[in-house]
Amino acid sequence: MFSFIRSALALLILAAALPAHAALKVLATTSDWGALVNEIGGDQVNVYTATSALQDVHRVDAKPSLVARARTADLVVATGAELEIGWLPVLIQESGNSRIQPGSPGYFEAASVLSLLEKPERFDRSLGDIHPQGNPHVQLDPRNIARVAQALTDRLAQLDGAHAQYFQQRAKDFDTRWQAAIKRWESQAASLKGTPVVVMHSDQTYLCRWLGLQQVAAIEPKPGMPPTAGYLGQLVTKLAASPPRVIMLNAYNDPKAAKWLSERVHAPTVVLPFSVGGTPEAKDLFGLFDDTINRLLAVLK
Amino acid sequence: MMSCKALAALLALAGMTLPVLGHAADDVASLRAEMQALKNEYQTRVEALEQRITQLENAPVGGLAEATPAPQPAPSMGSAGGTGTAFNPAVSLILSGNYAHIDQDPETWRIGGFMPSDGEVGPGERSFNLGESELTLAANVDPYFSAQMTAALSAENEVEVEEAFFRTLALPSGFTAKGGRFFSGFGYLNEVHSHAWDFADQPLVYQAFFGGQFKQEGLQAKWLAPTDLFIELGAETGNGSEFPATRRNRNGFNGATLFAHVGGDYGDATSWRAGAAYLDQRAEDRAFETIDEFGLPLTNAFTGKSRTWVVDGVLKWTPVGDPNRRQLKLQGEYMQRRETGLLAFDTEGSDLTDDYRSTQSGWYLQGVYQFLPRWRAGLRYDSLDSGTPRIALVDSGELPLSAFPALLPADPDRISIMLDWNPSEFSRLRAQFDWDDARGENDWDHVLRLQYIYGIGAHGAHKF
């Protein structure tokens, strides 16, 4: 028992004696925020991304490896609006890390600087897995990314004042390239405006809204509720009158229901990356939107 | 005394007013300079704001920018009118119940070879049953502490404080401390609330060794290593109020628990956690009822040391990345307990006391496979080994072994299969079937339970 305490103490002292790392340690909940922190932080940040684009970020295990990353993080970058509510609070609570507690400078929520769509009128779970603060899948509107980038830059500068100028310089450079890219994407996708589409879940709402796609139906009857055979049957009848041009899927979605519907309403499906890393082409944030628009244009040709 | 205070107050007041008077005496020039500085500052602020407005006006039409560009506070569920509800803690309520079909009389259920724990053990009663309703309130107290309480409302119309504890938020260097009544960090399943179990009940080893779950009133300290590998060390002490300990009328700490957990990922698809823990407790007159050879009830009691250790492991394999589509969860724990001390026979009658020594062990292994979204199937095997206790009263020939029917050596086993359907994150319907030989008599009981679990209120978050 005493030798146990002694070795624990020795470990502690060792840990305290380790030199502090120069780069800020950032735990990002999704690959998009991870990519954004890298764009702004450059070599002054060390980013760990908690989830992959093949996961549904609503439901992720609070894995021990993530608790360990939360322990050493200087900054947690989350989407917020209760997207990560099933697991992030556990990571923060178990981390024993006071720097990343909500309300501290080390806790950042992207949703806090955005105005969210689809704020529910009624808070009732019979409506499905709704988010009281609005739709949290904000990353598919690039203008949101630009806004989050600004706030994130301020936060990085606050946490590492010595590199504030470095972050601001990189953010400025990113913003210039980003605004140019938005113009390019908007002109490339101009022909898509008004296209009737079927989505999987309300997580493509921001994309539809940005590109002017007309969302005629969702495969999920209610947020988070998988479709039943009966509901899909009704959908076929409903869509027969005004068929969609394409059914949009995210990389993490199970394609079964979409494929089934695709055959019946004679509209192709397209798998979109949804997040950085969702497709081989979506290597970074620029790749995410390049690939999303390329795939939409290719399928709607 | 009063005059002393008054003098001090006067001095303090004087200290506060003197500089003000000094300022008033300053010349007008410095005031002017300050005013100018303020003016300049506001000028730049206004310019910056104007610039932002122009930027926003030039933003693409149809965007979200024109709606509300300003950061917006999170909407609160409570009324904004200052009715005092904005700081209400997160409230969640879990409702559960079952329908049970049990072949053998559940009144006769017991774990063969183990001293009864007086806990929540066994398959429950026949027919329809209301399970425990768990009401949890949780919130941060201030920047330094959070607090949580779970009250269990039983079908017998009793309220039990299942857990009620505070936890630190701001200790440095990866430390957290917890105090109050809480489930011990011993083992893997001990801390898990019943609604989050993968089967309708606890493994036999938990039922035999802790009467369900080990908790007490006390303190816990945990330290998480600043490494990429998850390494957590913890220690607990308390009043030893629950089985296998007893509350003794003594000052100071009663017993200790030490635990260590290690965990990480193996590739993209596999994550794991392994642990070991040691529980050192004392019992004083830990009574248990038994039936003697003539069928009459009598009370025996154990006094002495009770030491338990456990090794536990859990592994989750998620082949497609998304745990909602497919996931395999494998989990197992092995425990061993040594008890040494005195065993008293018939404390209210003949009251014979002599040495007692036992080494008992048990383990379970279970796998739960999510084979479709919403659907999970599971298999669990339980095994206990009561060992052969050394009872000096028996060894000396004073009493026959049959005087202690509860302590006759036995090897209880159980096999459970379960299937559950989870329409959403907040509801679960489960069917579980057990081949149960907890009595250790090779006379297998068959237990079928159809169970529901519903959660309303705040969205819960569960540990790994």
Side-chain angles (χ1 to χ4, degrees), chain A residues 12 57 95 103 115 118 123 155 175 235 269 299:
Chain A
L12 256 182
V57 187
S95 70
S115 71
E118 297 175 344
F123 299 155
R155 192 60 69 88
D175 195 57
L235 213 53
T269 58
V299 76

Side-chain angles (χ1 to χ4, degrees), chain A residues 154-175:
Chain A
D154 294 344
R155 192 60 69 88
L156 288 172
Q158 184 188 349
L159 288 170
D160 182 5
H163 294 97
Q165 218 157 14
Y166 173 81
F167 297 137
Q168 271 142 14
Q169 189 50 50
R170 283 191 68 94
K172 213 174 140 191
D173 175 55
F174 170 74
D175 195 57

Side-chain angles (χ1 to χ4, degrees), chain A residues 104-221:
Chain A
S104 316
Y107 181 81
F108 178 87
E109 282 191 353
S112 67
V113 295
L114 301 171
S115 71
L116 306 188
L117 297 173
E118 297 175 344
K119 248 171 243 174
E121 298 279 308
R122 229 152 52 90
F123 299 155
D124 181 345
R125 289 214 178 102
S126 70
L127 305 173
D129 194 4
I130 55 167
H131 296 272
Q133 294 164 46
N135 186 331
H137 308 283
V138 295
Q139 81 276 13
L140 286 180
D141 183 336
R143 296 165 303 183
N144 284 345
I145 302 270
R147 259 169 240 135
V148 174
Q150 258 180 28
L152 198 53
T153 307
D154 294 344
R155 192 60 69 88
L156 288 172
Q158 184 188 349
L159 288 170
D160 182 5
H163 294 97
Q165 218 157 14
Y166 173 81
F167 297 137
Q168 271 142 14
Q169 189 50 50
R170 283 191 68 94
K172 213 174 140 191
D173 175 55
F174 170 74
D175 195 57
T176 314
R177 289 182 293 131
W178 193 249
Q179 297 300 343
I182 291 179
K183 286 221 173 76
R184 189 178 77 236
W185 293 322
E186 283 175 349
S187 73
Q188 280 173 343
S191 62
L192 300 178
K193 206 163 270 178
T195 307
V197 299
V198 169
V199 298
M200 187 73 196
H201 170 77
S202 49
D203 51 9
Q204 284 157 337
T205 300
Y206 289 87
L207 179 69
C208 293
R209 172 94 181 226
W210 171 50
L211 295 179
L213 304 173
Q214 190 201 339
Q215 192 175 313
V216 291
I219 290 178
E220 282 186 357

Side-chain angles (χ1 to χ4, degrees), chain B residues 28 32 39 46 59 88 131 160 207 233 241 251 348 370 378 392:
Chain B
V28 186
R32 280 225 176 106
K39 246 179 151 178
V46 167
N88 278 354
E160 182 207 355
Q207 298 194 23
L233 305 175
S241 59
N251 290 315
E348 279 142 33
Q370 166 128 20

